[in-house]
Amino acid sequence: MITYILTVPVYVVVFVATISMVLSSDHHTERGLHYTGPAPVSAVGYILTVTKDSSSVRYIGLPVAAAGLTSWFSTNNGGHTKRAVVVGFIILVGNLGSAIGGQVYRSNGAMNGYVRHATCAVVMVCSVFMALTMKWLLPRKNKRRSQLLLEEYEQDACGSHLRDNYLAS
């Protein structure tokens, strides 16, 4: 019973962090930095769980790690149908994490907790670099698309609403 109670603070921290990020991101109409900011925090949380032997420090590291898990995937897809397909695909890919997690987090102890959390920390650091790359590439694509003629744009946009821009700022 006490184990379940100990999960409550983790979920509360993640809930507050997620709602705060969403509200701030919407208020500032900015997605890139609102993703890349929490992701290194999440990596630090995983590193805390790897490097410290104290149970209390590791317990603090878990909500820190979980609070940095945010998403930026559905804002750059125009139209309801395209957005629904993308969200479904991302959920599909996310569910593949269960297959990978089953190999990383084995119950027989084939890999210790250090390797498990270090793997998650490396993935979070890689996601920061990918998000920064998107933040750099999407404005370039917007600039190129803004210089196209209407016919060229319709062909390039593949059914997107006219003059939709990728949200990179």
Side-chain angles (χ1 to χ4, degrees), residues 9-39:
V10 175
Y11 285 114
V12 169
V13 168
V14 171
F15 173 78
V16 170
T18 302
I19 296 300
S20 300
M21 278 295 132
V22 167
L23 292 175
S24 175
S25 175
D26 191 43
H27 177 72
H28 296 289
T29 61
E30 195 283 328
R31 304 294 184 265
L33 295 178
H34 282 83
Y35 177 82
T36 56

Side-chain angles (χ1 to χ4, degrees), residues 132-148 156 165-169:
L132 290 174
T133 301
M134 280 180 53
K135 188 155 176 60
W136 178 69
L137 288 176
L138 292 178
R140 293 172 54 126
K141 184 158 179 120
N142 286 341
K143 184 177 179 183
R144 183 187 64 78
R145 288 175 76 183
S146 69
Q147 297 169 350
L148 295 176
D156 183 64
N165 283 326
Y166 293 110
L167 194 58
S169 59

Side-chain angles (χ1 to χ4, degrees), residues 32-165:
L33 295 178
H34 282 83
Y35 177 82
T36 56
V41 172
S42 181
V44 167
Y46 283 119
I47 290 169
L48 275 175
T49 63
V50 170
T51 59
K52 301 299 179 188
D53 289 329
S54 168
S55 295
S56 58
V57 173
R58 293 173 78 187
Y59 180 73
I60 291 170
L62 287 176
V64 172
L69 303 175
T70 56
S71 178
W72 185 15
F73 64 82
S74 67
T75 56
N76 284 317
N77 301 292
H80 299 292
T81 304
K82 194 182 281 187
R83 186 168 292 149
V85 169
V86 168
V87 169
F89 181 74
I90 295 297
I91 291 171
L92 171 81
V93 171
N95 286 335
L96 291 176
S98 299
I100 296 168
Q103 301 304 313
V104 174
Y105 289 94
R106 290 183 176 201
S107 62
N108 64 4
M111 296 172 71
N112 63 20
Y114 300 112
V115 174
R116 297 169 183 168
H117 291 306
T119 302
C120 293
V122 168
V123 168
M124 291 309 296
V125 170
C126 289
S127 71
V128 169
F129 288 114
M130 288 187 281
L132 290 174
T133 301
M134 280 180 53
K135 188 155 176 60
W136 178 69
L137 288 176
L138 292 178
R140 293 172 54 126
K141 184 158 179 120
N142 286 341
K143 184 177 179 183
R144 183 187 64 78
R145 288 175 76 183
S146 69
Q147 297 169 350
L148 295 176
L149 297 173
L150 183 60
E151 296 82 20
E152 294 171 325
Y153 181 83
E154 287 175 350
Q155 185 177 9
D156 183 64
C158 299
S160 291
H161 296 290
L162 291 178
R163 299 298 176 200
D164 274 350
N165 283 326

